[in-house]
Coordinates of all heavy atoms in Angstrom, one line a residue:
S1 N 34.8 -86.4 82.6 CA 33.5 -86.6 82.0 C 32.4 -85.6 82.7 O 32.6 -85.2 83.8 CB 33.1 -88.1 82.4 OG 31.9 -88.2 83.2
L2 N 31.5 -85.2 81.8 CA 30.6 -84.2 82.1 C 29.4 -84.8 82.8 O 28.7 -85.8 82.3 CB 30.0 -83.5 80.9 CG 29.0 -82.4 81.1 CD1 29.6 -81.2 81.8 CD2 28.6 -81.9 79.7
S3 N 28.9 -84.3 83.9 CA 27.7 -84.8 84.6 C 26.7 -83.6 84.6 O 27.1 -82.5 85.0 CB 28.2 -85.0 86.1 OG 27.0 -85.5 86.8
V4 N 25.5 -84.0 84.1 CA 24.4 -83.1 84.1 C 23.3 -83.4 85.0 O 22.9 -84.5 85.0 CB 23.8 -83.1 82.6 CG1 22.7 -82.1 82.4 CG2 24.9 -82.7 81.6
D5 N 22.9 -82.4 85.9 CA 21.9 -82.8 86.9 C 20.5 -82.4 86.4 O 19.6 -82.8 86.8 CB 22.2 -82.0 88.2 CG 23.5 -82.6 88.7 OD1 23.6 -83.8 88.8 OD2 24.2 -81.8 89.3
L6 N 20.4 -81.3 85.5 CA 19.1 -80.8 85.1 C 19.4 -80.0 83.8 O 20.4 -79.4 83.5 CB 18.7 -79.8 86.1 CG 17.5 -78.9 85.7 CD1 16.1 -79.9 85.7 CD2 17.1 -77.8 86.8
V7 N 18.3 -80.2 82.8 CA 18.4 -79.4 81.5 C 17.3 -78.5 81.6 O 16.1 -78.9 81.8 CB 18.4 -80.4 80.3 CG1 18.1 -79.6 79.0 CG2 19.5 -81.3 80.2
I8 N 17.5 -77.3 81.2 CA 16.6 -76.2 81.1 C 16.5 -75.7 79.7 O 17.5 -75.4 79.1 CB 16.8 -75.0 82.0 CG1 16.9 -75.4 83.5 CG2 15.7 -73.9 81.9 CD1 17.4 -74.4 84.5
S9 N 15.2 -75.9 79.1 CA 15.1 -75.4 77.7 C 13.7 -74.6 77.6 O 12.8 -75.0 78.0 CB 15.0 -76.6 76.9 OG 14.7 -76.3 75.4
D10 N 13.9 -73.6 76.7 CA 12.7 -72.9 76.3 C 12.0 -73.7 75.3 O 12.6 -74.4 74.5 CB 13.1 -71.4 75.7 CG 12.0 -70.5 75.7 OD1 10.9 -70.8 75.1 OD2 12.1 -69.4 76.3
L11 N 10.7 -73.4 75.2 CA 9.9 -74.2 74.0 C 10.2 -73.7 72.8 O 10.2 -74.5 71.8 CB 8.4 -74.2 74.4 CG 7.9 -75.1 75.5 CD1 6.4 -75.0 75.7 CD2 8.3 -76.6 75.1
M12 N 10.5 -72.3 72.6 CA 10.8 -71.8 71.3 C 12.1 -71.5 71.3 O 12.8 -70.6 72.1 CB 10.0 -70.4 71.3 CG 8.5 -70.7 71.1 SD 7.5 -69.2 70.7 CE 8.0 -69.0 69.0
L13 N 12.9 -72.2 70.4 CA 14.4 -72.0 70.3 C 14.8 -71.4 69.0 O 15.9 -71.3 68.7 CB 15.0 -73.4 70.5 CG 14.8 -74.1 71.8 CD1 15.4 -75.5 71.7 CD2 15.4 -73.3 72.9
G14 N 13.8 -71.0 68.2 CA 14.3 -70.5 66.9 C 14.5 -71.5 65.8 O 13.8 -72.5 65.9
Q15 N 15.4 -71.3 65.0 CA 15.7 -72.3 63.9 C 16.4 -73.7 64.5 O 17.1 -73.5 65.4 CB 16.6 -71.7 62.8 CG 16.0 -70.6 62.0 CD 16.8 -70.1 61.0 OE1 18.0 -70.5 60.8 NE2 16.4 -69.0 60.2
G16 N 16.0 -74.7 63.8 CA 16.7 -76.0 64.4 C 15.5 -76.6 65.2 O 14.4 -76.6 65.0
M17 N 16.0 -77.4 66.2 CA 15.2 -78.1 67.1 C 14.4 -77.1 68.0 O 14.8 -76.1 68.4 CB 16.1 -78.9 68.1 CG 16.2 -80.4 67.8 SD 17.0 -81.2 69.1 CE 16.5 -82.8 68.8
S18 N 13.1 -77.5 68.2 CA 12.3 -76.8 69.0 C 12.5 -77.4 70.5 O 13.0 -78.5 70.7 CB 10.9 -76.9 68.7 OG 10.3 -78.3 69.0
G19 N 12.0 -76.8 71.5 CA 12.0 -77.2 72.9 C 11.3 -78.6 73.0 O 11.6 -79.5 73.7
V20 N 10.1 -78.7 72.3 CA 9.4 -79.9 72.2 C 10.2 -81.0 71.7 O 10.3 -82.2 72.3 CB 8.1 -79.9 71.3 CG1 7.4 -81.2 71.2 CG2 7.3 -78.7 71.9
E21 N 11.1 -80.8 70.7 CA 11.9 -81.8 70.1 C 13.0 -82.2 71.1 O 13.4 -83.4 71.2 CB 12.5 -81.3 68.8 CG 11.4 -81.3 67.7 CD 12.0 -80.6 66.4 OE1 12.5 -79.7 66.5 OE2 11.5 -81.2 65.2
V22 N 13.5 -81.1 71.7 CA 14.6 -81.5 72.7 C 13.9 -82.3 73.9 O 14.6 -83.4 74.2 CB 14.9 -80.2 73.4 CG1 15.9 -80.4 74.6 CG2 15.9 -79.4 72.5
A23 N 12.7 -82.1 74.3 CA 12.1 -82.9 75.4 C 11.9 -84.3 74.9 O 12.1 -85.3 75.6 CB 10.7 -82.3 75.8
E24 N 11.4 -84.4 73.6 CA 11.2 -85.8 73.1 C 12.5 -86.6 72.9 O 12.6 -87.7 73.3 CB 10.5 -85.8 71.7 CG 9.1 -85.3 71.9 CD 8.5 -84.9 70.4 OE1 9.2 -84.9 69.4 OE2 7.1 -84.7 70.5
T25 N 13.6 -85.9 72.4 CA 14.9 -86.6 72.3 C 15.5 -87.0 73.6 O 15.9 -88.1 73.8 CB 15.9 -85.6 71.6 OG1 15.3 -85.4 70.3 CG2 17.2 -86.3 71.4
M26 N 15.3 -86.1 74.6 CA 15.9 -86.4 76.0 C 15.1 -87.5 76.5 O 15.7 -88.5 77.2 CB 15.7 -85.2 76.8 CG 16.8 -84.2 76.6 SD 16.7 -82.8 77.8 CE 16.9 -83.7 79.3
S27 N 13.8 -87.6 76.3 CA 12.9 -88.5 76.9 C 13.3 -89.9 76.3 O 13.3 -91.0 77.1 CB 11.4 -88.3 76.5 OG 10.6 -88.6 77.5
D28 N 13.6 -90.0 75.0 CA 14.0 -91.2 74.4 C 15.5 -91.6 74.8 O 15.7 -92.9 75.1 CB 14.1 -91.1 72.8 CG 12.6 -90.9 72.3 OD1 11.7 -91.3 72.9 OD2 12.5 -90.5 71.1
R29 N 16.2 -90.8 74.9 CA 17.8 -91.1 75.1 C 18.1 -91.2 76.6 O 18.9 -92.0 77.0 CB 18.7 -90.1 74.4 CG 18.7 -90.1 72.9 CD 19.6 -89.3 72.3 NE 19.6 -89.3 70.9 CZ 20.3 -88.6 70.1 NH1 21.2 -87.7 70.6 NH2 20.2 -88.6 68.8
W30 N 17.5 -90.2 77.3 CA 17.9 -90.2 78.7 C 16.5 -90.0 79.6 O 16.4 -89.0 80.1 CB 18.8 -89.0 79.1 CG 20.1 -89.0 78.3 CD1 21.2 -89.8 78.3 CD2 20.3 -88.1 77.1 NE1 22.1 -89.5 77.5 CE2 21.6 -88.7 76.6 CE3 19.6 -87.2 76.5 CZ2 22.3 -88.0 75.5 CZ3 20.2 -86.6 75.3 CH2 21.4 -87.0 74.8
P31 N 15.8 -91.0 79.7 CA 14.5 -90.9 80.3 C 14.5 -90.5 81.7 O 13.6 -89.9 82.2 CB 14.0 -92.4 80.1 CG 15.1 -93.3 80.0 CD 16.2 -92.5 79.2
D32 N 15.7 -90.6 82.5 CA 15.7 -90.3 83.9 C 16.3 -88.9 84.1 O 16.4 -88.3 85.2 CB 16.6 -91.3 84.7 CG 15.9 -92.5 84.8 OD1 14.7 -92.6 84.8 OD2 16.6 -93.6 84.9
M33 N 16.7 -88.2 82.9 CA 17.3 -86.8 83.0 C 16.1 -85.8 83.4 O 15.2 -85.6 82.6 CB 17.9 -86.4 81.8 CG 18.5 -85.1 81.7 SD 19.8 -84.7 82.8 CE 21.1 -85.7 82.1
P34 N 16.2 -85.0 84.4 CA 15.3 -84.0 84.7 C 15.3 -82.9 83.7 O 16.3 -82.5 83.3 CB 15.6 -83.5 86.1 CG 16.6 -84.5 86.7 CD 17.2 -85.2 85.5
L35 N 14.2 -82.4 83.3 CA 14.0 -81.4 82.3 C 13.1 -80.3 82.8 O 11.9 -80.6 83.2 CB 13.5 -82.0 80.9 CG 13.2 -81.0 79.8 CD1 14.4 -80.3 79.4 CD2 12.5 -81.7 78.7
L36 N 13.4 -79.1 82.7 CA 12.6 -78.1 83.1 C 12.3 -77.2 81.7 O 13.3 -76.6 81.1 CB 13.2 -77.1 84.1 CG 12.5 -75.8 84.6 CD1 11.0 -76.3 85.1 CD2 13.2 -75.1 85.5
L37 N 11.0 -77.1 81.4 CA 10.8 -76.4 80.1 C 10.2 -75.1 80.5 O 9.6 -74.9 81.4 CB 9.6 -77.1 79.3 CG 10.1 -78.4 78.7 CD1 8.8 -79.1 78.2 CD2 11.1 -78.3 77.6
I38 N 10.6 -74.0 79.7 CA 10.2 -72.6 79.9 C 9.4 -72.1 78.8 O 9.8 -72.3 77.6 CB 11.4 -71.7 80.2 CG1 12.2 -72.2 81.4 CG2 10.9 -70.3 80.3 CD1 13.5 -71.5 81.5
S39 N 8.3 -71.3 79.1 CA 7.4 -71.0 77.9 C 6.7 -69.6 78.4 O 6.3 -69.5 79.5 CB 6.3 -72.0 77.7 OG 5.4 -71.4 76.7
G40 N 6.7 -68.7 77.3 CA 6.0 -67.5 77.6 C 4.6 -67.6 76.9 O 3.7 -67.4 77.5
N41 N 4.7 -67.9 75.6 CA 3.5 -68.0 74.8 C 3.6 -69.1 73.8 O 3.1 -69.1 72.7 CB 3.2 -66.6 74.1 CG 4.3 -66.3 73.2 OD1 5.3 -67.0 73.0 ND2 4.1 -65.1 72.5
A42 N 4.3 -70.1 74.1 CA 4.6 -71.2 73.2 C 3.7 -72.4 73.4 O 3.9 -73.4 72.9 CB 6.0 -71.6 73.2
D43 N 2.7 -72.4 74.3 CA 1.8 -73.4 74.5 C 1.2 -74.1 73.2 O 0.9 -75.2 73.2 CB 0.7 -73.1 75.5 CG 1.2 -72.8 76.9 OD1 2.4 -72.9 77.2 OD2 0.3 -72.4 77.7
H44 N 1.0 -73.3 72.2 CA 0.5 -73.7 71.0 C 1.4 -74.8 70.3 O 1.0 -75.6 69.4 CB 0.2 -72.6 70.0 CG 1.4 -71.9 69.6 ND1 2.1 -70.9 70.3 CD2 2.2 -71.9 68.5 CE1 3.2 -70.5 69.7 NE2 3.2 -71.1 68.6
L45 N 2.7 -74.9 70.7 CA 3.6 -75.8 70.3 C 3.3 -77.3 70.8 O 3.8 -78.2 70.3 CB 5.0 -75.5 70.5 CG 5.5 -74.1 69.9 CD1 6.9 -73.9 70.3 CD2 5.6 -74.3 68.4
L46 N 2.6 -77.4 71.9 CA 2.3 -78.6 72.6 C 0.8 -79.0 72.3 O -0.1 -78.2 72.4 CB 2.5 -78.4 74.0 CG 3.9 -78.2 74.6 CD1 3.9 -77.9 76.1 CD2 5.0 -79.3 74.2
S47 N 0.7 -80.3 72.1 CA -0.6 -80.8 71.9 C -1.1 -81.0 73.4 O -0.4 -80.8 74.3 CB -0.7 -82.2 71.2 OG 0.0 -83.1 72.0
K48 N -2.5 -81.2 73.5 CA -2.9 -81.4 74.8 C -2.3 -82.5 75.6 O -2.0 -82.4 76.8 CB -4.6 -81.7 74.8 CG -5.4 -80.5 74.5 CD -6.8 -80.8 74.6 CE -7.6 -79.5 74.6 NZ -9.1 -79.7 74.8
S49 N -2.1 -83.6 74.9 CA -1.3 -84.7 75.6 C 0.1 -84.4 75.9 O 0.6 -84.8 77.0 CB -1.4 -86.0 74.8 OG -0.7 -85.9 73.4
E50 N 0.8 -83.6 75.0 CA 2.2 -83.1 75.4 C 2.2 -82.2 76.6 O 2.9 -82.3 77.4 CB 2.8 -82.5 74.1 CG 3.2 -83.6 73.1 CD 3.7 -82.8 71.8 OE1 3.2 -81.7 71.6 OE2 4.4 -83.4 71.2
L51 N 1.1 -81.4 76.6 CA 1.0 -80.4 77.7 C 0.9 -81.2 79.1 O 1.4 -80.8 80.0 CB -0.1 -79.3 77.4 CG -0.2 -78.1 78.3 CD1 1.1 -77.4 78.2 CD2 -1.3 -77.2 77.8
E52 N -0.1 -82.1 79.0 CA -0.4 -82.9 80.1 C 1.0 -83.7 80.6 O 1.2 -83.7 81.7 CB -1.5 -83.9 79.9 CG -1.9 -84.7 81.1 CD -2.5 -83.9 82.2 OE1 -3.1 -82.9 81.9 OE2 -2.4 -84.4 83.3
Q53 N 1.6 -84.2 79.6 CA 2.9 -85.0 79.9 C 3.9 -84.0 80.5 O 4.6 -84.5 81.5 CB 3.3 -85.7 78.6 CG 4.7 -86.4 78.8 CD 5.2 -86.8 77.5 OE1 4.6 -86.7 76.4 NE2 6.5 -87.3 77.5
H54 N 4.0 -82.9 80.0 CA 5.1 -81.9 80.5 C 4.7 -81.0 81.5 O 5.4 -80.1 81.9 CB 5.7 -81.2 79.4 CG 6.4 -82.2 78.4 ND1 7.5 -82.9 78.7 CD2 6.1 -82.5 77.1 CE1 7.7 -83.7 77.7 NE2 7.1 -83.5 76.7
K55 N 3.4 -80.9 82.0 CA 2.9 -79.8 82.9 C 3.6 -79.8 84.2 O 3.8 -78.7 84.6 CB 1.5 -80.1 83.2 CG 1.0 -81.1 84.2 CD -0.5 -81.2 84.4 CE -0.8 -82.3 85.3 NZ -2.2 -82.4 85.5
R56 N 4.2 -80.8 84.8 CA 5.0 -80.8 85.9 C 6.4 -80.1 85.7 O 7.1 -79.9 86.5 CB 5.1 -82.1 86.6 CG 3.7 -82.4 87.1 CD 3.7 -84.0 87.8 NE 4.7 -83.9 88.9 CZ 5.3 -84.9 89.5 NH1 5.0 -86.0 89.1 NH2 6.1 -84.7 90.5
S57 N 6.7 -80.1 84.4 CA 8.1 -79.6 83.9 C 8.1 -78.3 83.3 O 9.1 -77.7 82.8 CB 8.7 -80.7 83.0 OG 8.9 -81.9 83.7
L58 N 6.9 -77.5 83.2 CA 6.7 -76.3 82.5 C 6.6 -75.1 83.5 O 5.9 -75.0 84.3 CB 5.5 -76.5 81.7 CG 5.2 -75.3 80.8 CD1 6.3 -75.1 79.7 CD2 3.9 -75.5 80.1
L59 N 7.5 -74.2 83.3 CA 7.6 -73.0 84.1 C 7.2 -71.9 83.1 O 7.8 -71.7 82.0 CB 9.0 -72.8 84.6 CG 9.2 -71.4 85.4 CD1 8.3 -71.4 86.7 CD2 10.7 -71.3 85.8
R60 N 6.1 -71.1 83.4 CA 5.6 -70.1 82.5 C 6.2 -68.8 82.8 O 6.4 -68.4 83.9 CB 4.1 -70.1 82.6 CG 3.4 -71.3 82.3 CD 1.9 -71.3 82.5 NE 1.2 -72.5 82.0 CZ 1.0 -73.0 80.8 NH1 1.4 -72.4 79.8 NH2 0.5 -74.1 80.6
K61 N 6.5 -68.1 81.7 CA 7.2 -66.7 81.8 C 6.0 -65.7 81.9 O 4.9 -66.1 81.3 CB 7.8 -66.4 80.5 CG 9.1 -67.1 80.3 CD 9.7 -66.7 78.9 CE 10.8 -67.6 78.5 NZ 11.3 -67.2 77.1
P62 N 6.1 -64.7 82.5 CA 7.2 -64.1 83.2 C 7.3 -64.9 84.6 O 6.4 -65.2 85.2 CB 7.0 -62.7 83.3 CG 5.5 -62.6 83.4 CD 5.0 -63.7 82.6
F63 N 8.4 -65.1 85.1 CA 8.8 -65.7 86.4 C 9.9 -64.8 87.1 O 10.8 -64.3 86.4 CB 9.0 -67.2 86.4 CG 10.2 -67.5 85.4 CD1 11.4 -67.5 85.9 CD2 9.8 -67.9 84.1 CE1 12.5 -67.8 85.1 CE2 10.9 -68.3 83.3 CZ 12.2 -68.3 83.6
G64 N 9.9 -64.9 88.4 CA 11.0 -64.2 89.1 C 12.0 -65.3 89.6 O 11.9 -66.4 89.3
N65 N 13.0 -64.8 90.2 CA 14.0 -65.5 90.7 C 13.6 -66.8 91.7 O 14.1 -67.8 91.5 CB 15.1 -64.7 91.4 CG 15.9 -63.8 90.5 OD1 15.9 -64.0 89.3 ND2 16.5 -62.8 91.1
Q66 N 12.8 -66.4 92.5 CA 12.2 -67.3 93.6 C 11.5 -68.5 92.8 O 11.6 -69.6 93.3 CB 11.4 -66.6 94.7 CG 12.1 -65.6 95.5 CD 13.4 -66.4 96.2 OE1 13.2 -67.5 96.7 NE2 14.5 -65.7 96.1
Q67 N 10.6 -68.1 91.8 CA 10.0 -69.2 91.1 C 10.9 -70.1 90.4 O 10.7 -71.3 90.4 CB 9.0 -68.5 90.1 CG 7.8 -67.8 90.8 CD 7.0 -67.1 89.8 OE1 7.5 -66.0 89.2 NE2 5.7 -67.4 89.6
L68 N 11.9 -69.5 89.8 CA 13.0 -70.3 89.1 C 13.7 -71.2 90.0 O 13.9 -72.4 89.9 CB 13.9 -69.4 88.3 CG 15.1 -70.1 87.6 CD1 14.5 -71.1 86.5 CD2 16.0 -69.1 87.1
I69 N 14.0 -70.6 91.1 CA 14.8 -71.5 92.2 C 13.9 -72.6 92.6 O 14.4 -73.8 92.8 CB 15.3 -70.6 93.3 CG1 16.4 -69.6 92.9 CG2 15.7 -71.3 94.5 CD1 16.7 -68.5 93.8
A70 N 12.6 -72.3 92.9 CA 11.7 -73.4 93.4 C 11.5 -74.5 92.3 O 11.5 -75.6 92.7 CB 10.3 -72.7 93.8
A71 N 11.5 -74.1 91.1 CA 11.2 -74.9 90.0 C 12.5 -75.9 89.9 O 12.3 -77.1 89.7 CB 10.9 -74.3 88.7
V72 N 13.7 -75.4 90.0 CA 14.9 -76.0 89.9 C 15.1 -77.1 91.0 O 15.3 -78.2 90.9 CB 16.3 -75.1 89.7 CG1 17.4 -76.0 89.9 CG2 16.1 -74.4 88.4
K73 N 14.8 -76.5 92.2 CA 14.9 -77.3 93.5 C 13.8 -78.5 93.3 O 14.1 -79.6 93.7 CB 14.6 -76.5 94.6 CG 15.7 -75.7 95.1 CD 15.3 -75.1 96.4 CE 16.5 -74.3 96.9 NZ 16.2 -73.6 98.2
G74 N 12.6 -78.2 92.9 CA 11.6 -79.2 92.6 C 12.0 -80.4 91.8 O 11.8 -81.6 92.0
K75 N 12.5 -80.0 90.6 CA 13.0 -81.0 89.6 C 14.2 -81.8 90.2 O 14.2 -83.0 90.0 CB 13.4 -80.3 88.3 CG 12.5 -79.7 87.5 CD 11.3 -80.6 87.3 CE 11.6 -81.6 86.3 NZ 10.4 -82.5 85.9
L76 N 15.1 -81.2 90.9 CA 16.3 -81.9 91.5 C 15.8 -82.8 92.6 O 16.3 -83.9 92.7 CB 17.4 -81.0 91.9 CG 18.0 -80.2 90.8 CD1 19.0 -79.2 91.4 CD2 18.8 -81.1 89.9
N77 N 14.8 -82.2 93.3 CA 14.2 -83.2 94.5 C 13.5 -84.4 93.8 O 13.6 -85.5 94.3 CB 13.4 -82.4 95.4 CG 14.1 -81.5 96.2 OD1 15.2 -81.7 96.5 ND2 13.4 -80.6 96.8
Q78 N 12.8 -84.2 92.7 CA 12.1 -85.3 92.1 C 13.2 -86.4 91.7 O 12.9 -87.6 91.8 CB 11.3 -84.9 90.8 CG 10.1 -84.2 91.1 CD 9.5 -83.8 89.8 OE1 9.8 -84.0 88.7 NE2 8.4 -82.8 89.9
Q79 N 14.2 -85.9 91.1 CA 15.3 -86.8 90.7 C 15.9 -87.5 91.9 O 16.1 -88.7 91.8 CB 16.4 -86.1 90.0 CG 17.6 -87.0 89.4 CD 17.0 -87.9 88.3 OE1 16.1 -87.8 87.7 NE2 17.7 -89.2 88.3
Q80 N 16.2 -86.8 93.0 CA 16.8 -87.5 94.2 C 15.7 -88.5 94.7 O 16.1 -89.6 95.0 CB 17.0 -86.4 95.4 CG 18.3 -85.7 95.2 CD 18.5 -84.9 96.4 OE1 17.6 -84.2 96.9 NE2 19.7 -84.6 96.7
D81 N 14.4 -88.3 94.7 CA 13.4 -89.2 95.3 C 13.5 -90.4 94.3 O 13.3 -91.5 94.8 CB 12.0 -88.6 95.2 CG 11.9 -87.4 96.3 OD1 12.7 -87.4 97.2 OD2 10.9 -86.7 96.3
R82 N 13.5 -90.2 93.0 CA 13.7 -91.4 92.1 C 14.9 -92.2 92.3 O 14.8 -93.4 92.3 CB 13.7 -90.9 90.7 CG 13.4 -92.0 89.6 CD 13.4 -91.5 88.2 NE 12.4 -90.4 88.2 CZ 12.4 -89.5 87.1 NH1 13.1 -89.6 86.0 NH2 11.5 -88.6 87.1
D83 N 16.0 -91.6 92.6 CA 17.3 -92.3 92.7 C 17.1 -93.1 94.1 O 17.7 -94.2 94.1 CB 18.5 -91.2 92.9 CG 18.8 -90.6 91.6 OD1 18.3 -91.2 90.4 OD2 19.4 -89.7 91.5
I84 N 16.5 -92.5 95.2 CA 16.4 -93.1 96.4 C 15.4 -94.4 96.3 O 15.7 -95.4 96.8 CB 16.0 -92.2 97.5 CG1 17.2 -91.3 97.7 CG2 15.7 -92.9 98.7 CD1 16.7 -90.1 98.5
A85 N 14.4 -94.2 95.5 CA 13.4 -95.2 95.4 C 13.9 -96.4 94.7 O 13.3 -97.6 94.8 CB 12.1 -94.7 94.7
I86 N 15.0 -96.2 93.8 CA 15.4 -97.4 92.9 C 16.2 -98.4 93.7 O 16.8 -98.2 94.6 CB 16.2 -96.9 91.9 CG1 15.2 -96.2 90.9 CG2 17.0 -98.0 91.1 CD1 15.9 -95.4 89.7

């Protein structure tokens, strides 16, 4: 069985589902799954309320290795804290 600790998605995915739709689907199906969204110039895809909802999960391009590592660690630590609190 496959175990997923974190999903990373760009907001702009081309044809098919957008990153926003991925986030909404994940939120509905797997509300506890950590999600890290990446965006360069796709903020226009999010409404103000969506931007507020996902701001803790949004990593803006360009970013370096250390920023990516920090964002991934932050999302995984949030999940651990949630697991421990339950």
Side-chain angles (χ1 to χ4, degrees):
S1 122
L2 179 64
S3 175
V4 178
D5 294 318
L6 173 67
V7 174
I8 301 174
S9 177
D10 200 300
L11 283 177
M12 293 187 71
L13 298 176
Q15 293 183 359
M17 259 187 161
S18 71
V20 175
E21 291 168 320
V22 168
E24 290 170 355
T25 299
M26 284 187 56
S27 224
D28 291 343
R29 292 186 184 174
W30 306 284
D32 293 331
M33 175 66 67
L35 172 66
L36 179 60
L37 296 170
I38 298 172
S39 173
N41 59 358
D43 291 356
H44 64 279
L45 294 175
L46 296 174
S47 68
K48 282 188 176 185
S49 64
E50 289 170 328
L51 193 54
E52 183 64 27
Q53 175 186 354
H54 296 296
K55 73 178 180 182
R56 293 181 58 200
S57 298
L58 186 59
L59 180 60
R60 296 182 185 279
K61 294 177 188 176
F63 53 84
N65 292 342
Q66 294 305 314
Q67 290 169 298
L68 177 59
I69 290 167
V72 168
K73 282 183 178 180
K75 294 306 292 182
L76 293 176
N77 286 339
Q78 284 176 7
Q79 182 63 29
Q80 277 185 327
D81 291 344
R82 187 178 315 167
D83 289 346
I84 292 168
I86 292 175

